[in-house]
Amino acid sequence: MNLTKPMIECLKEIDHYRDYPSYWKPKTREKLEALGLVEDRNKDARYAPASYQLTQAGKDYLYSIKAA
């Protein structure tokens, strides 16, 4: 999987935050979410604002970039 530079930067930024808000880089984050690298951790909670975190696939992808 080849991601663009803005997508990789957004992935790294999401990794640094515990609760990444939905209004920061929304288009790039949505693309990462469609690829399964990012998920909304409050998707099942009622009345909770969306906050995003990396999935295990996202963590593995970041690790593979750092290792290369």
Side-chain angles (χ1 to χ4, degrees):
M1 171 180 354
N2 290 328
L3 299 181
T4 62
K5 187 175 180 180
M7 292 172 89
I8 293 172
E9 290 174 0
C10 185
L11 200 63
K12 289 178 182 178
E13 189 174 335
I14 292 171
D15 188 38
H16 290 303
Y17 290 94
R18 183 170 167 255
D19 295 321
Y20 190 82
S22 62
Y23 53 86
W24 288 357
K25 300 182 182 178
K27 289 182 181 180
T28 307
R29 184 203 29 86
E30 288 172 0
K31 291 175 186 175
L32 292 172
E33 190 174 9
L35 291 172
L37 301 175
V38 176
E39 68 181 355
D40 180 8
R41 62 186 216 110
N42 292 334
K43 65 183 170 202
D44 297 328
R46 195 169 188 188
Y47 304 117
S51 67
Y52 292 88
Q53 66 183 10
L54 295 181
T55 61
Q56 188 60 42
K59 292 176 185 177
D60 293 341
Y61 186 79
L62 263 184
Y63 180 75
S64 70
I65 291 173
K66 290 177 184 178

